[in-house]
Amino acid sequence: MTHPDQPSDAGRPAAPDMRVLPCGSHALLVELPDLRAVLGLYDSLRANPPAGVLDLVPASTTLLVKAVPSADLARLAQALREVRYLPRQQADAQAETVRISVHYQGPDLAEVAALTGLTEREVVAAHTGTLWRVAFCGFAPGFGYLVGGDDRLRVPRRTTSRVRVPAGSVALADRFTGVYPVATPGGWQLIGHTDAVLWDTDRQPPALLRPGVRVRFVEAT
Amino acid sequence: MPGPADSTAHPAGPAHPEGTAPAGPVPASAAASACAAAPACDAPQRGLRVLATGMLAVLQDLGRPGQASLGVGHGGAADRGALALANRLVGNPVAAAGIEVTFGGLGVRAIGHLVVAVTGAPCPLRTTAPDGRARARAVNAVFHLRPGEELWLDPPASGLRSYLAVRGGITVPPVLGSRSTDTLANIGPDRLSAGAVLPVGVAANPLPAIDFAPVPGPGGDEVWLRVLFGPRDDWFTAEAREHLVTEPYLVTSEMDRVGMRLSGPALARARTGELPSEGMVRGALQVPPSGQPTLFLADHPLTGGYPVIAVVVDADIDRAAQARPGQRIRFRAASSPGASRPAGG
């Protein structure tokens, strides 16, 4: 099993190339070379948060570190530079894997096949063929940006977005796949839908897909 | 990567861009009442019946910190200090839920005997007893509402957001640990609407000895806000950085709990290219290609795709949330020792 976005440099400084940028009186923005470094630092900070960290917002090349009001940001910046990668086994052991059953009948499946030069069946095989990982969340509660997919599945967003994408739509855009938790406007390419409940405020935790969670898509029978 | 408004391949597309300014004035109130799903508030012994809401009235407490991994922002009262003061006046914990009223217009009727206070933007307050007797009340002061008595908030002469706290707090069921309405993500209670009945809890603490807090109201003239440059000030010209802290910026009518669009000298970029979406904070001054900044408030999106030239220091954001359309904001560079710019790695 490969983990393209999983750091393998256990014990080394998590991010030797980081830049720590100021972000107001209660936060720091850590800029990193790539998503892999972001996720390595994110995993390490989740496992061993330095004093004063209130919340972490990972994105594709940055990690926003929000601090409690009493935190000393200079000291926190130093602590961030000294973070060591989690050992690989520990990071893997902490990762939760979710299986999501998908009906691959999305309105853009043919378009994705045309864009990628694959057949529709090959698109499905590629989408189900790798273990995805939630890199970060945003856009809407419970919406995760998943990475780790087959490179052949990189497609642009639709040229026009839909006014309403149904909840449970499974979609592709750029290097990401995602599942719409609730019906919203949307511009990603829809390849299927799932009955899985992505967001439920009465569930603990309410979001099925949270940063770090591994996802295996399987074709519904 | 896709276009500048959606540089992490935003799933919504241009119709719902991440990283842009809030979409115009506050939306209309939702039809459902705040406690439609709560059997406990069908007929509370003590509570508030909402008679009118003005342009926007929502329940707020201190929000949902630490839940970004769920895609949930911090949110909470736009003017946290004003909510905390209202709660202290009536002897509540500072994090109790109260009503945030935008530009007055709220009317409520007491169910049972209540102790209340209104803070923030100084609305003229009127109470009307069931026998028709009316009297004026003062803001930043504790007063009683007898059963059936009505409280009306008129539009404030200065400031924008007022807070009504009730002794015992408003106790609709919390969602993800908070009773705040997140107007962007639609989490928490619905926006208040006429007919809603809000249950009031039991007070845990004695009433404080002080029943009046002489606080200065929001100013009617220029609003001075301290900013810390970064994280992306290096995306802008030296002239733009200079403009930001020397020229006035007008608050436009495009403003809500998400943020406010400002109008002033354009903040020109020193570089081209797109910024991958990154985490946003309350107080961030995000600059789209137009060069006109948006100041993010309580319900800002978790991430945004435009560079942030500077961030308003946390202690000044409550005042920013009281600025009205047409009011002038002046930013000044802060030099707080606790927030000195850390050296790059």
PDB file of all heavy atoms in Angstrom, chain B residues 259-279:
ATOM      1  N   GLY B 259     -18.398  39.098   7.052  1.00  0.00           N
ATOM      2  CA  GLY B 259     -17.371  40.116   6.897  1.00  0.00           C
ATOM      3  C   GLY B 259     -17.942  41.363   6.291  1.00  0.00           C
ATOM      4  O   GLY B 259     -19.151  41.462   6.071  1.00  0.00           O
ATOM      5  N   MET B 260     -17.057  42.331   6.064  1.00  0.00           N
ATOM      6  CA  MET B 260     -17.533  43.548   5.420  1.00  0.00           C
ATOM      7  C   MET B 260     -16.567  43.983   4.332  1.00  0.00           C
ATOM      8  O   MET B 260     -15.357  43.980   4.501  1.00  0.00           O
ATOM      9  CB  MET B 260     -17.769  44.651   6.430  1.00  0.00           C
ATOM     10  CG  MET B 260     -16.677  44.905   7.411  1.00  0.00           C
ATOM     11  SD  MET B 260     -17.389  45.964   8.711  1.00  0.00           S
ATOM     12  CE  MET B 260     -15.960  46.244   9.701  1.00  0.00           C
ATOM     13  N   ARG B 261     -17.163  44.339   3.205  1.00  0.00           N
ATOM     14  CA  ARG B 261     -16.369  44.879   2.119  1.00  0.00           C
ATOM     15  C   ARG B 261     -16.074  46.334   2.420  1.00  0.00           C
ATOM     16  O   ARG B 261     -16.967  47.087   2.807  1.00  0.00           O
ATOM     17  CB  ARG B 261     -17.126  44.775   0.802  1.00  0.00           C
ATOM     18  CG  ARG B 261     -16.963  43.437   0.161  1.00  0.00           C
ATOM     19  CD  ARG B 261     -17.473  43.432  -1.266  1.00  0.00           C
ATOM     20  NE  ARG B 261     -17.147  42.154  -1.890  1.00  0.00           N
ATOM     21  CZ  ARG B 261     -17.884  41.582  -2.831  1.00  0.00           C
ATOM     22  NH1 ARG B 261     -18.968  42.190  -3.273  1.00  0.00           N
ATOM     23  NH2 ARG B 261     -17.534  40.422  -3.335  1.00  0.00           N
ATOM     24  N   LEU B 262     -14.826  46.714   2.205  1.00  0.00           N
ATOM     25  CA  LEU B 262     -14.409  48.086   2.443  1.00  0.00           C
ATOM     26  C   LEU B 262     -14.113  48.745   1.103  1.00  0.00           C
ATOM     27  O   LEU B 262     -13.859  48.075   0.101  1.00  0.00           O
ATOM     28  CB  LEU B 262     -13.163  48.113   3.324  1.00  0.00           C
ATOM     29  CG  LEU B 262     -13.285  47.354   4.650  1.00  0.00           C
ATOM     30  CD1 LEU B 262     -11.976  47.426   5.423  1.00  0.00           C
ATOM     31  CD2 LEU B 262     -14.431  47.908   5.490  1.00  0.00           C
ATOM     32  N   SER B 263     -14.146  50.069   1.118  1.00  0.00           N
ATOM     33  CA  SER B 263     -13.907  50.820  -0.111  1.00  0.00           C
ATOM     34  C   SER B 263     -12.896  51.921   0.186  1.00  0.00           C
ATOM     35  O   SER B 263     -13.073  52.704   1.120  1.00  0.00           O
ATOM     36  CB  SER B 263     -15.244  51.401  -0.590  1.00  0.00           C
ATOM     37  OG  SER B 263     -15.021  52.401  -1.538  1.00  0.00           O
ATOM     38  N   GLY B 264     -11.823  51.949  -0.613  1.00  0.00           N
ATOM     39  CA  GLY B 264     -10.789  52.957  -0.405  1.00  0.00           C
ATOM     40  C   GLY B 264      -9.732  52.805  -1.474  1.00  0.00           C
ATOM     41  O   GLY B 264      -9.967  52.134  -2.489  1.00  0.00           O
ATOM     42  N   PRO B 265      -8.558  53.417  -1.266  1.00  0.00           N
ATOM     43  CA  PRO B 265      -7.495  53.280  -2.260  1.00  0.00           C
ATOM     44  C   PRO B 265      -7.204  51.801  -2.510  1.00  0.00           C
ATOM     45  O   PRO B 265      -7.072  51.021  -1.561  1.00  0.00           O
ATOM     46  CB  PRO B 265      -6.301  53.965  -1.609  1.00  0.00           C
ATOM     47  CG  PRO B 265      -6.902  54.907  -0.618  1.00  0.00           C
ATOM     48  CD  PRO B 265      -8.156  54.257  -0.130  1.00  0.00           C
ATOM     49  N   ALA B 266      -7.143  51.420  -3.798  1.00  0.00           N
ATOM     50  CA  ALA B 266      -6.927  50.009  -4.134  1.00  0.00           C
ATOM     51  C   ALA B 266      -5.561  49.555  -3.618  1.00  0.00           C
ATOM     52  O   ALA B 266      -4.581  50.301  -3.668  1.00  0.00           O
ATOM     53  CB  ALA B 266      -7.018  49.820  -5.643  1.00  0.00           C
ATOM     54  N   LEU B 267      -5.529  48.338  -3.117  1.00  0.00           N
ATOM     55  CA  LEU B 267      -4.284  47.749  -2.606  1.00  0.00           C
ATOM     56  C   LEU B 267      -3.689  46.892  -3.718  1.00  0.00           C
ATOM     57  O   LEU B 267      -4.151  45.786  -3.987  1.00  0.00           O
ATOM     58  CB  LEU B 267      -4.585  46.923  -1.353  1.00  0.00           C
ATOM     59  CG  LEU B 267      -5.249  47.738  -0.223  1.00  0.00           C
ATOM     60  CD1 LEU B 267      -5.699  46.829   0.919  1.00  0.00           C
ATOM     61  CD2 LEU B 267      -4.299  48.810   0.294  1.00  0.00           C
ATOM     62  N   ALA B 268      -2.673  47.430  -4.368  1.00  0.00           N
ATOM     63  CA  ALA B 268      -2.130  46.790  -5.571  1.00  0.00           C
ATOM     64  C   ALA B 268      -1.144  45.689  -5.205  1.00  0.00           C
ATOM     65  O   ALA B 268      -0.389  45.795  -4.231  1.00  0.00           O
ATOM     66  CB  ALA B 268      -1.434  47.835  -6.438  1.00  0.00           C
ATOM     67  N   ARG B 269      -1.165  44.647  -6.013  1.00  0.00           N
ATOM     68  CA  ARG B 269      -0.257  43.536  -5.765  1.00  0.00           C
ATOM     69  C   ARG B 269       1.101  43.785  -6.394  1.00  0.00           C
ATOM     70  O   ARG B 269       1.204  44.384  -7.461  1.00  0.00           O
ATOM     71  CB  ARG B 269      -0.840  42.249  -6.335  1.00  0.00           C
ATOM     72  CG  ARG B 269      -2.030  41.795  -5.534  1.00  0.00           C
ATOM     73  CD  ARG B 269      -2.467  40.420  -5.929  1.00  0.00           C
ATOM     74  NE  ARG B 269      -3.797  40.181  -5.374  1.00  0.00           N
ATOM     75  CZ  ARG B 269      -4.506  39.093  -5.608  1.00  0.00           C
ATOM     76  NH1 ARG B 269      -4.022  38.158  -6.407  1.00  0.00           N
ATOM     77  NH2 ARG B 269      -5.678  38.943  -5.063  1.00  0.00           N
ATOM     78  N   ALA B 270       2.111  43.253  -5.742  1.00  0.00           N
ATOM     79  CA  ALA B 270       3.473  43.354  -6.256  1.00  0.00           C
ATOM     80  C   ALA B 270       3.833  42.129  -7.069  1.00  0.00           C
ATOM     81  O   ALA B 270       4.897  42.067  -7.672  1.00  0.00           O
ATOM     82  CB  ALA B 270       4.451  43.509  -5.094  1.00  0.00           C
ATOM     83  N   ARG B 271       2.950  41.154  -7.072  1.00  0.00           N
ATOM     84  CA  ARG B 271       3.246  39.934  -7.809  1.00  0.00           C
ATOM     85  C   ARG B 271       1.977  39.390  -8.428  1.00  0.00           C
ATOM     86  O   ARG B 271       0.874  39.690  -7.993  1.00  0.00           O
ATOM     87  CB  ARG B 271       3.894  38.895  -6.890  1.00  0.00           C
ATOM     88  CG  ARG B 271       3.060  38.587  -5.663  1.00  0.00           C
ATOM     89  CD  ARG B 271       3.856  37.841  -4.633  1.00  0.00           C
ATOM     90  NE  ARG B 271       3.990  36.431  -4.976  1.00  0.00           N
ATOM     91  CZ  ARG B 271       4.572  35.544  -4.178  1.00  0.00           C
ATOM     92  NH1 ARG B 271       5.078  35.915  -3.017  1.00  0.00           N
ATOM     93  NH2 ARG B 271       4.650  34.286  -4.530  1.00  0.00           N
ATOM     94  N   THR B 272       2.164  38.595  -9.446  1.00  0.00           N
ATOM     95  CA  THR B 272       1.025  37.966 -10.088  1.00  0.00           C
ATOM     96  C   THR B 272       0.949  36.526  -9.592  1.00  0.00           C
ATOM     97  O   THR B 272       1.764  36.097  -8.792  1.00  0.00           O
ATOM     98  CB  THR B 272       1.182  37.973 -11.617  1.00  0.00           C
ATOM     99  OG1 THR B 272       2.427  37.366 -11.927  1.00  0.00           O
ATOM    100  CG2 THR B 272       1.147  39.383 -12.153  1.00  0.00           C
ATOM    101  N   GLY B 273      -0.011  35.801 -10.096  1.00  0.00           N
ATOM    102  CA  GLY B 273      -0.130  34.405  -9.701  1.00  0.00           C
ATOM    103  C   GLY B 273      -1.275  34.227  -8.739  1.00  0.00           C
ATOM    104  O   GLY B 273      -1.968  35.177  -8.385  1.00  0.00           O
ATOM    105  N   GLU B 274      -1.476  32.979  -8.388  1.00  0.00           N
ATOM    106  CA  GLU B 274      -2.581  32.625  -7.521  1.00  0.00           C
ATOM    107  C   GLU B 274      -2.052  32.047  -6.234  1.00  0.00           C
ATOM    108  O   GLU B 274      -1.033  31.377  -6.209  1.00  0.00           O
ATOM    109  CB  GLU B 274      -3.471  31.589  -8.206  1.00  0.00           C
ATOM    110  CG  GLU B 274      -4.180  32.141  -9.413  1.00  0.00           C
ATOM    111  CD  GLU B 274      -4.776  31.041 -10.251  1.00  0.00           C
ATOM    112  OE1 GLU B 274      -4.921  29.913  -9.725  1.00  0.00           O
ATOM    113  OE2 GLU B 274      -5.084  31.309 -11.422  1.00  0.00           O
ATOM    114  N   LEU B 275      -2.804  32.317  -5.189  1.00  0.00           N
ATOM    115  CA  LEU B 275      -2.445  31.787  -3.881  1.00  0.00           C
ATOM    116  C   LEU B 275      -3.310  30.557  -3.636  1.00  0.00           C
ATOM    117  O   LEU B 275      -4.524  30.642  -3.746  1.00  0.00           O
ATOM    118  CB  LEU B 275      -2.743  32.864  -2.834  1.00  0.00           C
ATOM    119  CG  LEU B 275      -2.384  32.558  -1.403  1.00  0.00           C
ATOM    120  CD1 LEU B 275      -0.872  32.593  -1.220  1.00  0.00           C
ATOM    121  CD2 LEU B 275      -3.046  33.580  -0.478  1.00  0.00           C
ATOM    122  N   PRO B 276      -2.710  29.415  -3.317  1.00  0.00           N
ATOM    123  CA  PRO B 276      -3.570  28.291  -2.925  1.00  0.00           C
ATOM    124  C   PRO B 276      -4.391  28.703  -1.704  1.00  0.00           C
ATOM    125  O   PRO B 276      -3.894  29.431  -0.841  1.00  0.00           O
ATOM    126  CB  PRO B 276      -2.579  27.184  -2.567  1.00  0.00           C
ATOM    127  CG  PRO B 276      -1.268  27.595  -3.153  1.00  0.00           C
ATOM    128  CD  PRO B 276      -1.278  29.094  -3.197  1.00  0.00           C
ATOM    129  N   SER B 277      -5.626  28.254  -1.631  1.00  0.00           N
ATOM    130  CA  SER B 277      -6.460  28.600  -0.477  1.00  0.00           C
ATOM    131  C   SER B 277      -5.733  28.252   0.810  1.00  0.00           C
ATOM    132  O   SER B 277      -5.031  27.246   0.892  1.00  0.00           O
ATOM    133  CB  SER B 277      -7.777  27.839  -0.526  1.00  0.00           C
ATOM    134  OG  SER B 277      -8.651  28.455  -1.429  1.00  0.00           O
ATOM    135  N   GLU B 278      -5.918  29.100   1.814  1.00  0.00           N
ATOM    136  CA  GLU B 278      -5.280  28.842   3.103  1.00  0.00           C
ATOM    137  C   GLU B 278      -6.211  29.268   4.223  1.00  0.00           C
ATOM    138  O   GLU B 278      -7.197  29.973   4.002  1.00  0.00           O
ATOM    139  CB  GLU B 278      -3.932  29.559   3.186  1.00  0.00           C
ATOM    140  CG  GLU B 278      -3.996  31.056   3.004  1.00  0.00           C
ATOM    141  CD  GLU B 278      -2.614  31.668   2.786  1.00  0.00           C
ATOM    142  OE1 GLU B 278      -1.700  30.963   2.331  1.00  0.00           O
ATOM    143  OE2 GLU B 278      -2.450  32.856   3.085  1.00  0.00           O
ATOM    144  N   GLY B 279      -5.902  28.831   5.432  1.00  0.00           N
ATOM    145  CA  GLY B 279      -6.751  29.096   6.579  1.00  0.00           C
ATOM    146  C   GLY B 279      -6.908  30.586   6.838  1.00  0.00           C
ATOM    147  O   GLY B 279      -5.976  31.362   6.662  1.00  0.00           O
TER     148      GLY B 279
END
